[in-house]
Structure formats: C-alpha cells, structure tokens
Amino acid sequence: MLSIGKLSGLTGVKVPTIRYYEQIGLLPKPERNEGGQRIYNHTSRERLNFIRHARELGFPLDDIRELLALSDDPDQSCDAIDAIAKRQLAEVEHRLVRLKALHKELERMIVQCTCGTVQTCRVIQVLGDHGLCAADHQKIVSHDIDQ
Amino acid sequence: MLSIGKLSGLTGVKVPTIRYYEQIGLLPKPERNEGGQRIYNHTSRERLNFIRHARELGFPLDDIRELLALSDDPDQSCDAIDAIAKRQLAEVEHRLVRLKALHKELERMIVQCTCGTVQTCRVIQVLGDHGLCAADHQKIVSHDIDQ
DNA sequence: GCTACATCCTCTAGTAACTAGAGGTTCAAG
DNA sequence: CTTGAACCTCTAGTTACTAGAGGATGTAGC
C-alpha cells in the first residue's frame, strides 16, 4: 500500500510523471483512499519499474505500451518482443553513426579556430559554408540528431 | 529575388520551416510582392544556409540565434562563439557516451534472448529487473537519450 | 483536538523544433 | 482565361514530460 510519493521514491519516477503515465493509459488507474489519493501495490511498482527501465534504454512510450501488452501473455512466442527490441537497437545504432560524424565535424571546426576576431572565426566560416566541411555529414537531417 | 519555394529548394529547408524561423525571429521578415508573397535575396539565403548547417551540427535554435547575432559583429573576439561551439561539442560527447552504454546493454539483452515464449523472454526479464543489467547504464536519465 | 506543513489532488499551459491540415488567395503556363 | 501549382494565415498536433495555480488531505508534534 503505497502513496504516489512512496512509489516515486522507490522507482525513481517523478510523481507528475506517474500521473502522466496513468493519464495516457500506460499505468492502470489505481485504487483511491477515502480522501481520493492514489494507493499503489506491488504490481504497480513492478510495472513502473519496467517502464522506467525501458525508457532508460530509449524505447518510446508507444513501444513500451506494446511490450507491456505482449508481456501479459506469457505463453506467446516472443518474436514480436524481439522485433521491437531489434528495431530499437537499429535506431540506437543509426543515431550513434550520425552522432559520431557530428562529433568529428564539430571537433575539426573548433580545432581550426585560432580564436581571433569574429571576422576570421573558423566556426562562423564553416557554419556559413558547407563546402568547408568534411563530406561525411552531408545528409544528416535534424531528426537524426536532436537531443 | 527568390520565392519561398525557390529558397527552400536551394537551401534544403522546408517551406513551413522557413516560415517558422521567421515567426520565431530567427530570420528577418522578408519583403513581399504586391500579392503579399515573400521574396528573398541572397542575404536571406546565406543566413538560412548558416542556420541549416548549424542545425545539422546539432546546435539548438537559441544557440544559433546567438551565433547569428555574434557573427554580425565582425571585429569582436570570437571567444563567445568558441564557447558555444565547445559547449555543443561537450553535449555531443556526453550523448555519445550514453548512447554507447545503451547500445551495449540493448545488444546484450537481445543476444541473450533465445526466442522462445514470452515467459522465458530475456528481453522482458531484463526490462523488468534492472539487476539483470550490466551496471553501466544505471544513472542514465531519459533526458540523455531521447531521440 | 489543534496547528503546521508536507503531500496530495485537478487542471492548464509550457518546453523544442517543427509538421500537418483547413480554408482561402495569387502566380505562371498554355 | 483557365487551371493547377504555389502561396497565404491560423490552429492544432507531435514526444515525453515539467511547472504552476489553487485547493484538499494526511500526519506529526503539542
């Protein structure tokens, strides 16, 4: 029998986030006490831990929703689960490649700057003229690198 | 003298995005023709190219706004510019570290799955019990890894 | 029993950087 | 002069939360 604050402390998920997960249907609506405050049990705690861990591994909430649904049916094949995990792995690998290219380019740009005036600043020059770049981030789109 | 569509084609920035940049004050309000449609010049094009390239390198719009302001003052020292670029580099490096840890953990989890039923699925087990993880992503918070 | 004060409640709005769509106007080619 | 592409404004949606207002409830000490 846990208050939302206790559950938060035990799982490391913030109180408003727990309420948010409930709101979007990721966590079932819990019991309430006479005063109308939420009370949780061990099952809620496990489910929330699962969600948190999956978030830590970068799974989007929609995938987590699906993973939770699949995990409720223990006799099914886990192919679908595997597919989601592999998709996430591919996504992470994709981001890694882009981020490495970015890193290289940023570093190159910064190293070349001799820190004089804005007029001769290599950073500004490179940002203004893509031709000064190494070619390897030509096709990066913002979606790949945000956050 | 470019229409918004032409400018979009030349810079690779989508039409609604150009309007959005204008709306948030990143691009100055352009001239209009008699019909009320935007017309751009070479300066707009350079500025938009700069923005695009900075976005490709992962700079947030607020930083780009600052970079643009700084680049308008060619005789100033470029220390401030350098600081922004280095901050961005640090950010990218930080994300790289997290993403690598994530990648390792995801891969480990997937490899261990023997693809039987949900009941024995390693993916579900690991997600449900953080103790089954290698320790190296313990303190990742979602902010580090989103997108 | 009473008083603080922490914790809880709901609701709305804000974040980043766009994207999508509705509903209407203007431009350019044939 | 028509037709269809391109343009216009405005609103709302995306992801995964976070912040804050304004008020109710729970709990510890006296």
Side-chain angles (χ1 to χ4, degrees), chain B residues 13-121:
Chain B
V13 179
K14 287 181 196 146
V15 168
T17 306
I18 297 175
R19 290 198 199 106
Y20 169 72
Y21 286 164
E22 178 186 333
Q23 191 195 313
I24 62 169
L26 210 56
L27 281 176
K29 287 184 192 294
E31 308 276 307
R32 303 279 182 137
N33 64 12
E34 328 85 66
Q37 305 193 342
R38 292 165 177 84
I39 39 176
Y40 295 94
N41 55 29
H42 190 65
T43 311
S44 331
R45 186 180 163 184
E46 278 181 348
R47 197 171 174 96
L48 190 51
N49 267 327
F50 183 101
I51 296 170
R52 184 195 158 210
H53 197 183
R55 282 297 297 137
E56 285 175 351
L57 289 172
F59 287 93
L61 291 182
D62 275 351
D63 283 359
I64 297 175
R65 195 190 302 276
E66 218 176 321
L67 287 171
L68 282 166
L70 290 165
S71 74
D72 282 342
D73 194 351
D75 289 330
Q76 256 202 318
S77 139
C78 76
D79 288 351
I81 290 164
D82 237 56
I84 294 172
K86 280 176 181 156
R87 196 200 316 148
Q88 176 60 16
L89 181 64
E91 178 66 35
V92 166
E93 281 171 352
H94 178 79
R95 272 189 228 150
L96 264 177
V97 169
R98 304 302 182 147
L99 214 48
K100 279 178 187 164
L102 236 69
H103 179 255
K104 199 169 148 190
E105 198 55 49
L106 269 172
E107 211 169 31
R108 208 173 77 104
M109 187 173 81
I110 290 168
V111 165
Q112 285 181 355
C113 183
T114 51
C115 281
T117 63
V118 169
Q119 201 150 29
T120 62
C121 179

Side-chain angles (χ1 to χ4, degrees), chain A residues 12 25 81 118:
Chain A
I81 290 165
V118 170

Side-chain angles (χ1 to χ4, degrees), chain A residues 14 21 52 55-58 95 145-147, chain B residues 91 94-95 98-99 102 139-147:
Chain A
K14 288 182 195 142
Y21 287 163
R52 185 194 157 209
R55 283 296 297 137
E56 285 174 349
L57 289 172
R95 272 188 229 153
I145 45 139
D146 285 347
Q147 270 309 332
Chain B
E91 178 66 35
H94 178 79
R95 272 189 228 150
R98 304 302 182 147
L99 214 48
L102 236 69
K139 288 187 180 161
I140 293 173
V141 287
S142 31
H143 165 258
D144 291 328
I145 45 139
D146 287 346
Q147 270 311 328

Side-chain angles (χ1 to χ4, degrees), chain A residues 97-120:
Chain A
V97 169
R98 304 302 181 148
L99 215 49
K100 279 177 188 166
L102 235 66
H103 179 256
K104 200 168 146 189
E105 199 54 49
L106 269 173
E107 211 169 32
R108 210 175 76 103
M109 186 172 80
I110 290 168
V111 165
Q112 285 181 356
C113 183
T114 51
C115 280
T117 62
V118 170
Q119 201 150 27
T120 62

